[in-house]
Amino acid sequence: MCEHQPHCPPVHAPDRGAAHLVAFHPEQGWWLLCNGLVVFDDAGELMPDGRSVPARLRERAA
């Protein structure tokens, strides 16, 4: 699917968010990466198979 060199990380890799940006819609709060992952501005993700990955909890600075 990815034609970049080096290839983008696959969607199940821990660094999947490092894939190239394909489409960006900030007014709607999401962007599409080359590996098929949809990332939302709240840090949630939608996998190509339709599974959702909840937003990661952010640590508060003490």
Side-chain angles (χ1 to χ4, degrees), residues 1-43:
M1 181 169 14
C2 176
E3 297 189 17
H4 301 103
Q5 291 298 327
H7 291 291
C8 291
V11 74
H12 296 293
D15 61 343
R16 63 182 168 249
H20 285 254
L21 186 65
V22 174
F24 181 54
H25 294 277
E27 71 283 358
Q28 296 175 355
W30 64 272
W31 57 95
L32 173 66
L33 302 182
C34 182
N35 57 9
L37 185 69
V38 177
V39 181
F40 297 95
D41 60 4
D42 70 353

